[in-house]
Amino acid sequence: MKGTGDTESAGAAGDRTAPGGPVEAAVELPDYAERVLGVAELIPPGKVMTYGDVAEWLKDEEDPRGPAPGGPRQVGRVMALYGGAVPWWRVVRADGVLLPGSELRALAHYRDEGTPLRGAPAASEGHIPRIDMRRARWDGDDGGRGAP
C-alpha cells in the first residue's frame, strides 16, 4: 500500500498540504503503518473503532509478520502521518470527542454516513457533538477475521 504525503507539512488526520495546495507523492509505508491503514479501510461507513481497538485488532491478528508492535499512541501517530488516504474519521478517541482541528470535516463525514452522534454539553466549546460510542463502535464481528 502506498500513502500520500510530503515532508514539508502535515495537517490533522494525515492531510498533506503545501502553501500552493495539496501535494501527493508516493511514499513507501512502514509495515505497521500499512497494517493500521488496512484496518481503517475495513471499518464500515457509520461505524468507528478507537485507536486502542485498532491496536488490539492488530495484536490479535494472525499474521506471518508477527504481532503488531504498537498501541493506541502508535496507531494515532500512523493516522496523523499517513491517514489522509483512508477514512481517517472512522478511527477515533475512546471518549468520542472529534479530532481537534478537524471537527467540522469529520462531522460532515459522520452526518453523511449516519454515524450515531450525541449532543454536545452546552458548556463545550462550539457545541460540537461527540460520537455515540455505545452505538457507533464496531467490533469487527460481522464476517470473521476478514474484517476487523
Side-chain angles (χ1 to χ4, degrees):
M1 177 181 290
K2 300 270 187 210
T4 60
D6 69 69
T7 57
E8 295 294 318
S9 63
D15 290 341
R16 304 294 188 252
T17 56
V23 175
E24 294 195 20
V27 175
E28 189 66 35
L29 298 178
D31 178 63
Y32 185 67
E34 283 194 31
R35 293 167 71 187
V36 167
L37 298 178
V39 173
E41 289 177 324
L42 294 172
I43 302 168
K47 295 294 185 179
V48 298
M49 288 181 88
T50 68
Y51 298 110
D53 292 341
V54 172
E56 283 302 311
W57 170 262
L58 292 173
K59 285 180 185 174
D60 292 343
E61 138 185 282
E62 289 185 33
D63 193 310
R65 298 170 283 189
R73 288 179 188 242
Q74 289 75 21
V75 170
R77 180 75 174 150
V78 167
M79 294 304 295
L81 291 174
Y82 308 110
V86 299
W88 53 267
W89 59 92
R90 296 182 192 151
V91 181
V92 301
R93 292 172 37 160
D95 62 4
V97 171
L98 279 56
L99 182 67
S102 295
E103 296 97 333
L104 297 179
R105 287 183 20 240
L107 187 57
H109 287 292
Y110 298 137
R111 288 184 172 148
D112 285 346
E113 295 182 355
T115 306
L117 299 171
R118 296 176 52 195
S124 69
E125 185 177 331
H127 306 291
I128 301 290
R130 293 180 179 211
I131 298 164
D132 183 339
M133 294 302 294
R134 186 179 50 77
R135 295 177 28 222
R137 198 171 198 165
W138 187 56
D139 63 6
D141 194 24
D142 67 347
R145 293 305 271 178

